[in-house]
C-alpha cells in the first residue's frame, strides 16, 4: 500500500527548531507539488522529533496518515471473475498443475480399488487370513483418504476435480510358487512404488510451474508417508519370503491382526 503525506513534511527537532535545522524534511519540487526527503542532524545530536505536514511552509502537526490504494489492487479488481461458474479463489494455478492433481487422484483411487480387491480375497472363507484382509482394507481406506485430500486441495486452489476411469483390479492372488500371501504383498509393494513415482512427478510439475505452495503440499502431506509405507511393506515382503508359504503365513497373519496398519 502506498503511504504519502502532504507536500511539506518535516520531522523537526524541538531543541533546534529555532535554528532552522530540520532533522528530517521534505522539500516540494519546482515542477510539481510532490516533495522529496532530506535528512539532517543537529550539531549537538540530541533531542526528539516532531512530525509536521502542511501544503505551505508553516509547521502544523501531522494528525493523520494518508493511505492510497495499491496500484496492484486496481489491476487485480479487473481480473476478478464475474461469472458464477468461474472460481474466485484461483490465483497462479496453472492448468498443468490442475491436470496433474486430477491424475494423482486417479492413481490414489486406483490403488485403493486394488487394495479393496485384496481385502475381499483374503476375507474369503476358503482363504481365511483375517489379518491380511484387515491390513489391505486399512491401506485401501488410507489411499481413498489421500484421494479426498487431493480433491479438497484442488477445490481450495480454484481447480476443478475430474474423476477419471479406474482400471479393473486383480481379484485372484494365488501363486503356485510364492503362495498368495507373498504374491499379494509384493503386488502391494509395487503399487506403493508407483504411487511414490507419480507423487514425485506431481512435485516436478509444481516446480516447473513455479508453484511453491503445491510443491510444499506434496512434500508435507504425501512424500514422507509414502516412503514410510514402502519401507514397512518391503519388510513384510522380506519376512514372508523367510517364513515360506506354509504354517509361517498363519503366524504372520496373527501378527497383522495384533498390530496397527500403515498410517
Amino acid at each position: 500500500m502506498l503511504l504519502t503525506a502532504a507536500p511539506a513534511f518535516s520531522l523537526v527537532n524541538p531543541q533546534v527548531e529555532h535554528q532552522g535545522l530540520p532533522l528530517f524534511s521534505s522539500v516540494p519540487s519546482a515542477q510539481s507539488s510532490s516533495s522529496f526527503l532530506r535528512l539532517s542532524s543537529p550539531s549537538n545530536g540530541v533531542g526528539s522529533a516532531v512530525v509536521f505536514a502542511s501544503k505551505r511552509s508553516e509547521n502544523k502537526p501531522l494528525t493523520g496518515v494518508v493511505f492510497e490504494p495499491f496500484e496492484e489492487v486496481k489491476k487485480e479488481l479487473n481480473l476478478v471473475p464475474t461469472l458464477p461458474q468461474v472460481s474466485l479463489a484461483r490465483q497462479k494455478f496453472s492448468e498443468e498443475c490442475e491436470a496433474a492433481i486430477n491424475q494423482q487422484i486417479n492413481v490414489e483411487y486406483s490403488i485403493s480399488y486394488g487394495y479393496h480387491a485384496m481385502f475381499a480375497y483374503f476375507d474369503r472363507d476358503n482363504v481365511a487370513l483375517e489379518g491380511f484382509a484387515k491390513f489391505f482394507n486399512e491401506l485401501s481406506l488410507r489411499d481413498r483418504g489421500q484421494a479426498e485430500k487431493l480433491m479438497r486441495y484442488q477445490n481450495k486452489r480454484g481447480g476443478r476435480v475430474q474423476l477419471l476411469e479406474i482400471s479393473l483390479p486383480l481379484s485372484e492372488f494365488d501363486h503356485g510358487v510364492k503362495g498368495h500371501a507373498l504374491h499379494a504383498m509384493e503386488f502391494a509393494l509395487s503399487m506403493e512404488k508407483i504411487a511414490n513415482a507419480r507423487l514425485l512427478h506431481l512435485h516436478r510439475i509444481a516446480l516447473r510451474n513455479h508453484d511453491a505452495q503445491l510443491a510444499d503440499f506434496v512434500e508435507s502431506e504425501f512424500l514422507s508417508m509414502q516412503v514410510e509405507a514402502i519401507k514397512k511393506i518391503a519388510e513384510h515382503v522380506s519376512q514372508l519370503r523367510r517364513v515360506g508359504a506354509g504354517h509361517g503365513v498363519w503366524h504372520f497373519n496373527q501378527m497383522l491382526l495384533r498390530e496397527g496398519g500403515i498410517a
Side-chain angles (χ1 to χ4, degrees), residues 8-12 22-26 37 50-54 59 62:
F9 177 87
S10 64
L11 294 176
V12 180
L23 179 65
F24 188 44
S25 65
S26 68
L37 300 179
V50 180
V51 178
F52 294 96
S54 67
N59 290 333
L62 179 65

Side-chain angles (χ1 to χ4, degrees), residues 32-172:
S32 65
S33 61
S34 62
S35 61
F36 65 91
L37 300 179
R38 181 180 63 205
L39 180 63
S40 61
S41 60
S43 58
N44 57 6
V46 297
S48 59
V50 180
V51 178
F52 294 96
S54 67
K55 292 185 176 180
R56 297 179 178 83
S57 59
E58 65 268 14
N59 290 333
K60 295 181 180 180
L62 179 65
T63 59
V65 179
V66 179
F67 291 97
E68 292 184 355
F70 283 114
E71 293 299 325
E72 293 83 358
V73 170
K74 295 179 181 179
K75 299 176 183 178
E76 289 292 336
L77 285 175
N78 296 327
L79 301 178
V80 174
T82 57
L83 298 177
Q85 66 270 24
V86 179
S87 171
L88 298 174
R90 185 165 189 148
Q91 183 185 27
K92 300 186 183 301
F93 186 50
S94 69
E95 293 182 357
E96 186 180 15
C97 289
E98 180 182 1
I101 291 175
N102 283 328
Q103 291 173 0
Q104 188 63 36
I105 292 171
N106 180 259
V107 170
E108 300 294 342
Y109 269 129
S110 297
I111 294 176
S112 175
Y113 203 28
Y115 280 136
H116 223 170
M118 297 163 76
F119 153 72
Y121 174 84
F122 286 99
D123 194 52
R124 293 177 185 175
D125 65 291
N126 60 335
V127 178
L129 291 173
E130 186 179 352
F132 281 88
K134 171 178 172 287
F135 178 76
F136 291 126
N137 188 48
E138 289 173 350
L139 287 177
S140 177
L141 294 175
R142 182 210 63 176
D143 282 285
R144 177 174 177 174
Q146 289 178 334
E148 292 175 353
K149 185 183 295 185
L150 286 164
M151 293 168 74
R152 286 192 293 269
Y153 180 82
Q154 183 84 293
N155 289 332
K156 183 185 297 183
R157 291 296 303 274
R160 290 294 177 263
V161 174
Q162 293 183 349
L163 298 180
L164 307 176
E165 183 180 359
I166 299 177
S167 302
L168 185 67
L170 293 176
S171 58
E172 300 294 332

